[in-house]
Amino acid sequence: MNADHSAVEPEDRHLAVTHTVTNQPPALENYNLFSQDKALQEGLILRDAAWAQQELVEFGELTGRAETIDLGFKANENKPVFNTHDRYGHRIDEVEFHPAYHELMRISMAHGLHSSPWTNPGAGTHVARAAKYYLQSQVEAAHGCPITMTFAAIPSIRKQPELAALWESRILNNSYDPRNVPDSEKQSVTIGMAMTEKQGGSDVRANSTRAYPLGQGGPGQTYELVGHKWFVSAPMCDAFLVLAHAPGGLSCFLMPRWRPDGSKNPWQIQRLKNKMGNVANASSEAELRGALAWMVGEEGRGVPTIIEMVSMTRFDCMIGSSGGMRQAAAQALHHCRHRSAFGATLNDQPLMQNVLADLALESEAALAMTLRVAHALDNQSDEHERLLTRLATPVGKYWICKRSPNHAYESMECIGGSGVMENCIMPRLFRESPVNAIWEGSGNVQCLDTLRALQKSPDTLQAFFAELDRARGADARYDRFVSDLKDEFGNPEDIQFRARNLVDRLALSLQASVLLQHSTTAVADAFCASRLQSQGGLNIGNLPRGVDARAIIDRATPVVD
């Protein structure tokens, strides 16, 4: 018998309607990440990359699409799966990724995130590439690891011209080929890196992996590697730059997944790392059981050979963390533009304005510093820019990456309970936020590298202060801050003990310098007031009275209705 719902009185039907959903923001999707980012647009023009504006508009539209954003969720919801053997018992060492991961890789490589400054060098090319990487990082950060390593490998591989002749054109090819087949069957390859070992970590001099020459030995010659590596990220790369001890000392080697005869190179993945973040990207432990490799650079000069790759990966950590900050700030600003509480929109309430403006300030300062280093990379023939790069890279990597976790948390808090849910991007941004601070050299390693640069080349500090002097006279607080910092470097006593404080201040002064010269008055004034003359520390939400929080918020908020 069918129930006769028409017999229910109208007032009884209303009892089934519990509520109407109101006061919720629309999803932050189907918007242009580039066109809604004033600081990035201005930075592109400032740093000689205005020619790339149309490319960035198109890429910003792509990265803001709902279906592109969904790729990031899908890639992280489906972890990589490791298969040691095929069904016939052959050792394959194959990692399976979700199709969303492969699509993200395809997008990044199609747009030259791994190649463009090398294939089309010129004014603004590193800046334009950094801008694209910054946008793509906001969609999904983990797949950036193999993109970065492939990009960063070129300077090191070029130290061995005969190897570069075999590999470079395929490294720089803008297609993506994820097949687990010999590299000789591919037009496009990716490159990884394997340096650290269990007993040493960042102290690669403690490595135990050995390289045995198959002939006369030396640069460009073949060796077999025996040992282990504690962290091998993106283990499906087609080849890896590896550190191992040759008879003449710690050296750098190019180790492919396959031998030239098409047989599998005997290096074996032991397991995948079970990471709290960076989930879409596989990281592994591996054993090298006589793996064939070619020496890159001089024997015994492995660290200087691979350090150029490391330096470029550290720069990408700056870009990635800056992108993470921008996405976190955008989420918070968007939410608070639409959400009301206690009788007013959240972004109109003074205390929330303090937090939101501070989040936007941190994000813009990170981007400004990153683009300044990108500009320096574009001008390495200039001695000032070359020296600045040497110091600003570890300083920037240390500071920007270290500021990211608290920035992600504060952004999440602005959103509230919904921001903790896994169908929101914030939990992923939060889990991702410590990764760049630890990888490619943790905070202490960056500070020690800064001191090493000062010791080996005192001209780097002179160049850094010359850069800061470009903003002299723009703000009295800045002038005092820089003057005090110069005095600190005049006293070398206990400098390693004080290194974090000194690097903190180097970073803040460079960010302030760039903002004072090139950002808005509201942004520069608030940065100097809160970072250089703070009465409440550097925690988010400590902007002092008198700053123009409204202007900072309006500048940074993506307008999506």
Side-chain angles (χ1 to χ4, degrees):
M1 180 182 294
N2 294 327
D4 184 4
H5 295 289
S6 62
V8 179
E9 293 298 321
E11 58 269 21
D12 294 330
R13 288 202 303 270
H14 293 162
L15 296 176
V17 180
T18 61
H19 69 289
T20 300
V21 177
T22 61
N23 197 27
Q24 290 287 342
L28 185 56
E29 59 188 23
N30 293 321
Y31 73 111
N32 193 308
L33 269 66
F34 176 74
S35 299
Q36 293 279 4
D37 191 333
K38 292 184 176 66
L40 180 59
Q41 294 175 62
E42 293 169 5
L44 202 71
I45 296 170
L46 171 68
R47 301 302 179 190
D48 299 330
W51 54 265
Q53 186 160 346
Q54 186 55 39
E55 288 181 33
L56 267 296
V57 170
E58 294 171 4
F59 196 65
E61 188 275 330
L62 172 62
T63 49
R65 292 177 192 170
E67 55 266 34
T68 306
I69 293 169
D70 188 57
L71 293 173
F73 282 92
K74 291 290 192 298
N76 283 273
E77 290 164 1
N78 298 273
K79 288 185 177 182
V81 176
F82 173 47
N83 298 311
T84 56
H85 297 76
D86 66 15
R87 60 178 174 156
Y88 303 108
H90 302 118
R91 182 93 194 194
I92 56 173
D93 289 299
E94 186 170 50
V95 180
E96 290 184 33
F97 295 90
H98 189 269
Y101 173 90
H102 290 305
E103 179 60 14
L104 289 164
M105 287 289 294
R106 187 199 65 76
I107 291 171
S108 290
M109 295 187 74
H111 287 85
L113 271 64
H114 68 300
S115 63
S116 54
W118 313 130
T119 55
N120 298 294
T125 54
H126 276 285
V127 172
R129 182 255 174 189
K132 286 185 178 180
Y133 195 108
Y134 169 84
L135 296 179
Q136 182 77 341
S137 295
Q138 295 180 51
V139 175
E140 203 289 311
H143 82 285
C145 182
I147 297 297
T148 283
M149 292 190 294
T150 303
F151 163 71
I154 288 294
S156 294
I157 290 177
R158 283 179 174 174
K159 290 182 178 294
Q160 203 60 48
E162 64 269 37
L163 292 178
L166 290 172
W167 286 88
E168 184 169 326
S169 65
R170 290 179 294 160
I171 293 170
L172 299 179
N173 190 298
N174 282 8
S175 63
Y176 172 56
D177 188 345
R179 295 177 298 156
N180 186 18
V181 298
D183 59 82
S184 59
E185 300 178 21
K186 294 186 172 188
Q187 294 184 336
S188 171
V189 297
T190 53
I191 305 295
M193 178 169 52
M195 293 196 299
T196 59
E197 299 180 7
K198 296 181 180 73
Q199 72 282 352
S202 295
D203 183 9
V204 295
R205 297 288 177 182
N207 283 6
S208 62
T209 298
R210 298 290 165 180
Y212 300 94
L214 296 182
Q216 65 182 9
Q221 299 302 306
T222 54
Y223 289 72
E224 286 187 344
L225 310 184
V226 178
H228 80 282
K229 293 297 172 182
W230 188 226
F231 273 95
V232 182
S233 284
M236 290 305 292
C237 285
D238 296 285
F240 303 84
L241 286 176
V242 181
L243 289 180
H245 282 281
L250 190 64
S251 304
C252 180
F253 298 87
L254 181 67
M255 180 188 74
R257 284 180 57 80
W258 300 80
R259 288 175 176 253
D261 63 5
S263 64
K264 185 182 178 304
N265 208 7
W267 73 279
Q268 297 179 356
I269 300 171
Q270 302 303 297
R271 63 174 177 174
L272 298 187
K273 301 285 193 180
N274 188 16
K275 299 175 292 183
M276 64 165 275
N278 205 249
V279 171
N281 172 45
S283 298
S284 67
E285 300 165 21
E287 288 190 348
L288 286 55
R289 302 174 178 270
L292 183 67
W294 285 261
M295 183 178 284
V296 180
E298 297 179 34
E299 185 170 6
R301 298 280 295 168
V303 172
T305 298
I306 206 171
I307 200 65
E308 290 195 45
M309 180 178 186
V310 173
S311 180
M312 296 306 297
T313 60
R314 288 175 176 174
F315 172 61
D316 273 14
C317 286
M318 294 172 62
I319 306 172
S321 290
S322 297
M325 284 190 197
R326 170 56 188 169
Q327 181 58 222
Q331 292 287 335
L333 290 159
H334 171 74
H335 177 89
C336 293
R337 176 174 174 264
H338 290 275
R339 179 80 166 175
S340 296
F342 310 116
T345 305
L346 288 177
N347 70 355
D348 286 328
Q349 299 186 24
L351 185 53
M352 183 59 86
Q353 285 187 338
N354 195 315
V355 174
L356 293 174
D358 216 357
L359 289 171
L361 202 60
E362 191 73 37
S363 172
E364 180 166 344
L367 174 64
M369 188 178 192
T370 297
L371 294 183
R372 179 63 188 91
V373 175
H375 180 76
L377 288 170
D378 277 324
N379 294 277
Q380 289 295 285
S381 60
D382 184 301
E383 182 71 359
H384 172 78
E385 300 297 325
R386 186 186 64 79
L387 291 170
L388 181 65
T389 304
R390 176 63 187 94
L391 204 58
T393 301
V395 168
K397 195 273 188 188
Y398 164 85
W399 181 252
I400 293 172
C401 299
K402 191 165 289 296
R403 295 289 286 175
S404 182
N406 192 58
H407 186 277
Y409 156 69
E410 291 284 1
S411 300
M412 182 184 290
E413 187 176 300
C414 290
I415 298 172
S418 296
V420 185
M421 302 301 111
E422 291 292 349
N423 57 357
C424 173
I425 198 173
M426 286 309 309
R428 173 153 45 97
L429 293 178
F430 183 64
R431 288 192 296 267
E432 193 73 33
S433 62
V435 171
N436 285 334
I438 296 171
W439 286 7
E440 308 306 329
S442 62
N444 282 357
V445 171
Q446 302 308 312
C447 291
L448 293 173
D449 190 42
T450 299
L451 297 184
R452 188 178 303 111
L454 299 179
Q455 183 179 17
K456 292 184 68 175
S457 179
D459 289 350
T460 57
L461 186 61
Q462 296 176 21
F464 198 96
F465 282 132
E467 179 70 20
L468 299 186
D469 286 343
R470 293 178 176 182
R472 180 189 295 173
D475 188 285
R477 296 162 298 191
Y478 172 80
D479 291 348
R480 286 193 296 270
F481 189 86
V482 173
S483 178
D484 290 345
L485 181 58
K486 290 179 179 179
D487 290 342
E488 285 290 326
F489 277 99
N491 179 13
E493 186 177 353
D494 296 328
I495 194 168
Q496 187 176 132
F497 186 80
R498 297 182 290 122
R500 283 202 176 206
N501 177 268
L502 293 173
V503 175
D504 284 355
R505 292 156 73 182
L506 285 171
L508 286 169
S509 59
L510 183 56
Q511 288 182 324
S513 172
V514 176
L515 294 176
L516 282 166
Q517 293 177 78
H518 304 297
S519 189
T520 65
T521 301
V523 168
D525 173 68
F527 189 89
C528 291
S530 59
R531 270 65 170 173
L532 309 186
Q533 186 179 280
S534 174
Q535 301 300 313
L538 292 177
N539 286 328
I540 296 295
N542 272 275
L543 298 181
R545 288 179 294 179
V547 304
D548 193 347
R550 178 82 268 166
I552 298 169
I553 291 169
D554 289 346
R555 172 177 170 80
T557 302
V559 179
V560 179
D561 295 310

